[in-house]
C-alpha cells in the first residue's frame, strides 16, 4: 500500500484479550494493522467491556467511538474516509452492513466470522440429538437460522475471513463463487522446551460464557477424570477462565480447583504437566491449544480441539474421540517424560506453520492491496 488506510472494526464489544481467544486474535490483528501504518477506528456496538479495555486500545493509537450517535455521525460525515470495514461476528455485521455500504461506498467490506457460527451450532445440535436433549430442536433451529444469516453476509460482503483452510472450504462449498480468506489466530514463537514439570497438574482454560467450554469442563470432570484418577490418583485439574457459572463452580473438589479469571496464566502453565482441550463441539481454531503450546505445555484433546491448526495427532498432540481415549492419553503424558517433551517440541513449529505473525500479515497485506486495486 502506498498510502495509509483508515480501517473500521465493528464488534459487539471491545476486545478483552486477557479473557477470550477471539479477542486476543482481534487485538493482535489490530497491532498488525497499526504496524503496517494504517489508522484503526473501533465501534463497539453494545457493551464496552469497561474503560480499561478502551484505554488499552487508545494507548496503541486506536480511536474508539462507543456512543451509537457518535458512530452514526462519523459514518454520515466521514464515511468516505474509510478504506476497509472489518465487521466481526454475525449480529454486529448484519446490524452495520447497510450503514457502511450507504455511507462508505468505496470501502472494502469484510465479514470476519471469528469462527463459522453455524458450523459450531450444527455440531451442538448433532450432540443434543444424539443425547436426546430436551432442547435439541431449539438448537437445530438456531443452527439453520445462523446458517442463513452467515451465508447472506458471505455473499453480501466483499470478502469473508475464516480462521482455517478447513472453514474456507466449508464456506466456499456452501456459497460458491464468493471470496473467502484465511486469517487465523496469531501466536508468538515458542520458547526452547526443557524438561517437563514433575507435577501431575492438568489445566483446562476457557471462557465459560462460551457454551462449548462449559460442556467440555463438565465432561472432563464427570467422564474423563475418573478414569485418570484410577491410574494416577494424585492428578489434579485446574479449571481456569472467565464467566464460571454455578455449574462450573460446583465441579470444585479435593482434586479440582476452579480458579475463575486469572490475569496472567504464565504461572499456571509453568506448573502444569499437560493442558487438556476436551471439546465435544465447536468451530474455528482453539486459542487454548495455541496458548498452551506457546508456553511449552503438551496438549491432549479431542480432534475438534485441534482442527485447522496444522497439528498432527500422535506427533504434535494426542487426540481421542471418547472419554476413555482422552483419559488414556492424559495418563501417558503424566507418566512419560520423554513423550511430554517430544510433543511440546514438535507442536511449536507445527503451530507456527499456520498461526504465526507472518501468515496474518500476508493476509492483511493482500486485503489492503485488493482495496488499492479497486481504486485504480
Amino acid at each position: 500500500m502506498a498510502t495509509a488506510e483508515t480501517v473500521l472494526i465493528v464488534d459487539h464489544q471491545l476486545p478483552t484479550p486477557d479473557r477470550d481467544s477471539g479477542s486476543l486474535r482481534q487485538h493482535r490483528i489490530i497491532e498488525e494493522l497499526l504496524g503496517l501504518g494504517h489508522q484503526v477506528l473501533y465501534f463497539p456496538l453494545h457493551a464496552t467491556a469497561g474503560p480499561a479495555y478502551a484505554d488499552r486500545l487508545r494507548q496503541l493509537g486506536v480511536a474508539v467511538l462507543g456512543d451509537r450517535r457518535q458512530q452514526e455521525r462519523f459514518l454520515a460525515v466521514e464515511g468516505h474516509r474509510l478504506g476497509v470495514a472489518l465487521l466481526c461476528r454475525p449480529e454486529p455485521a448484519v446490524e452495520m452492513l447497510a450503514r457502511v455500504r450507504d455511507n462508505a461506498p468505496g470501502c472494502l467490506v469484510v465479514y470476519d466470522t471469528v469462527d463459522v457460527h453455524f458450523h459450531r451450532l450444527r455440531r451442538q445440535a448433532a450432540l443434543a440429538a444424539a443425547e436426546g436433549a430436551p432442547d435439541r430442536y431449539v438448537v437445530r433451529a438456531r443452527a439453520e437460522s445462523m446458517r442463513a444469516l452467515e451465508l447472506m453476509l458471505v455473499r453480501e460482503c466483499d470478502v469473508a475471513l475464516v480462521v482455517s483452510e478447513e472453514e474456507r472450504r466449508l464456506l466456499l462449498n456452501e456459497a460458491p463463487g464468493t471470496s473467502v480468506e484465511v486469517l487465523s489466530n496469531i501466536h508468538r514463537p515458542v520458547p526452547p522446551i526443557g524438561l517437563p514439570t514433575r507435577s501431575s497438574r492438568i489445566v483446562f482454560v476457557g471462557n465459560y460464557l462460551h457454551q462449548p467450554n462449559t460442556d467440555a469442563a463438565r465432561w472432563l470432570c464427570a467422564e474423563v477424570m475418573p478414569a485418570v484418577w484410577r491410574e494416577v490418583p494424585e492428578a489434579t485439574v485446574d479449571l481456569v477462565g472467565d464467566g464460571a457459572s454455578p455449574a462450573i463452580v460446583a465441579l470444585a473438589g479435593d482434586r479440582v480447583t476452579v480458579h475463575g479469571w486469572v490475569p496472567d496464566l504464565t504461572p499456571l502453565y509453568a506448573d502444569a504437566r499437560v493442558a487438556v482441550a476436551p471439546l465435544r463441539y465447536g468451530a474455528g481454531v482453539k486459542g487454548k491449544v495455541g496458548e498452551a503450546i506457546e508456553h511449552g505445555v503438551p496438549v491432549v484433546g479431542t480432534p475438534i480441539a485441534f482442527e485447522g491448526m496444522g497439528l498432527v495427532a500422535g506427533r504434535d498432540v494426542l487426540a481421542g474421540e471418547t472419554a476413555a481415549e482422552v483419559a488414556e492419553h492424559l495418563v501417558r503424558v503424566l507418566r512419560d517424560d520423554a513423550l511430554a517433551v517430544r510433543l511440546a517440541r514438535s507442536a511449536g513449529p507445527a503451530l507456527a506453520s499456520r498461526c504465526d505473525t507472518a501468515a496474518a500479515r500476508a493476509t492483511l497485506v493482500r486485503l489492503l492491496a485488493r482495496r488499492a486495486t479497486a481504486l485504480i
Side-chain angles (χ1 to χ4, degrees):
M1 287 292 300
T3 59
E5 293 283 8
T6 298
V7 179
L8 170 66
I9 299 179
V10 176
D11 206 344
H12 67 293
Q13 68 170 26
L14 294 168
T16 54
D18 53 353
R19 295 178 184 268
D20 68 276
S21 170
S23 288
L24 180 58
R25 168 181 174 269
Q26 190 179 93
H27 196 267
R28 289 179 174 173
I29 289 171
I30 289 170
E31 290 176 331
E32 289 302 314
L33 287 168
L34 295 169
L36 289 167
H38 302 291
Q39 299 174 318
V40 178
L41 171 64
Y42 202 103
F43 284 8
L45 293 190
H46 302 297
T48 61
Y53 293 101
D55 290 343
R56 183 181 299 197
L57 287 184
R58 291 187 177 110
Q59 287 166 6
L60 290 175
V62 177
V64 178
L65 284 182
D67 180 81
R68 183 59 62 91
R69 287 170 297 182
Q70 290 180 334
Q71 293 170 359
E72 293 181 354
R73 189 179 307 119
F74 176 90
L75 287 175
V77 176
E78 304 288 350
H80 63 279
R81 293 172 43 200
L82 295 178
V84 178
L86 192 63
L87 310 181
C88 304
R89 303 176 216 268
E91 292 84 359
V94 76
E95 187 173 342
M96 290 298 292
L97 179 56
R99 290 182 175 89
V100 171
R101 286 292 194 203
D102 291 344
N103 292 285
C107 179
L108 183 75
V109 181
V110 181
Y111 167 49
D112 185 3
T113 63
V114 183
D115 65 15
V116 177
H117 289 51
F118 75 82
H119 189 40
R120 167 167 37 85
L121 288 170
R122 274 180 172 175
R123 286 172 162 173
Q124 183 181 0
L127 181 62
E131 295 185 340
D135 65 346
R136 57 192 181 276
Y137 294 113
V138 174
V139 179
R140 179 178 163 189
R142 283 198 204 112
E144 292 308 311
S145 296
M146 184 59 71
R147 175 180 176 273
L149 171 57
E150 287 200 278
L151 293 183
M152 181 198 74
L153 287 166
V154 170
R155 294 185 178 106
E156 292 297 328
C157 292
D158 300 311
V159 187
L161 293 180
V162 293
V163 292
S164 70
E165 189 60 40
E166 289 82 349
E167 290 198 343
R168 180 175 181 271
R169 290 195 294 268
L170 170 69
L171 285 189
L172 290 175
N173 183 63
E174 295 271 0
T178 58
S179 178
V180 184
E181 291 266 4
V182 176
L183 181 53
S184 194
N185 289 4
I186 303 172
H187 289 289
R188 308 303 192 203
V190 176
I193 306 301
L195 293 175
T197 174
R198 299 300 302 172
S199 81
S200 296
R201 297 181 71 171
I202 300 167
V203 62
F204 174 70
V205 176
N207 187 308
Y208 298 104
L209 298 176
H210 191 51
Q211 189 59 37
N213 289 328
T214 294
D215 176 80
R218 296 173 72 176
W219 189 61
L220 172 67
C221 293
E223 303 293 335
V224 176
M225 288 310 301
V228 174
W229 285 322
R230 284 194 291 271
E231 300 292 329
V232 188
E234 69 273 21
T236 60
V237 175
D238 293 296
L239 299 179
V240 187
D242 199 21
S245 66
I248 296 298
V249 173
L251 298 174
D254 291 341
R255 293 181 286 192
V256 178
T257 302
V258 178
H259 293 268
W261 174 69
V262 174
D264 181 9
L265 292 172
T266 302
L268 274 167
Y269 279 122
D271 290 338
R273 172 70 172 204
V274 58
V276 65
L279 296 165
R280 299 199 296 166
Y281 63 93
V285 299
K286 314 307 181 294
K288 60 177 65 60
V289 172
E291 185 176 57
I293 292 171
E294 279 186 316
H295 284 84
V297 179
V299 187
V300 170
T302 56
I304 283 176
F306 304 125
E307 61 189 6
M309 303 185 79
L311 301 169
V312 176
R315 185 193 71 187
D316 309 314
V317 294
L318 297 181
E321 292 274 7
T322 67
E325 290 170 347
V326 173
E328 178 185 353
H329 291 323
L330 286 171
V331 170
R332 289 178 60 199
V333 177
L334 289 170
R335 287 177 167 171
D336 189 335
D337 288 354
L339 173 63
V341 171
R342 178 174 63 79
L343 291 172
R345 287 179 176 171
S346 177
L351 180 71
S353 69
R354 293 200 188 186
C355 299
D356 68 353
T357 300
R361 188 180 299 130
T363 299
L364 291 171
V365 168
R366 268 198 315 276
L367 286 176
L368 291 158
R370 177 170 173 170
R371 152 71 177 167
T373 302
L375 293 175
I376 295 175

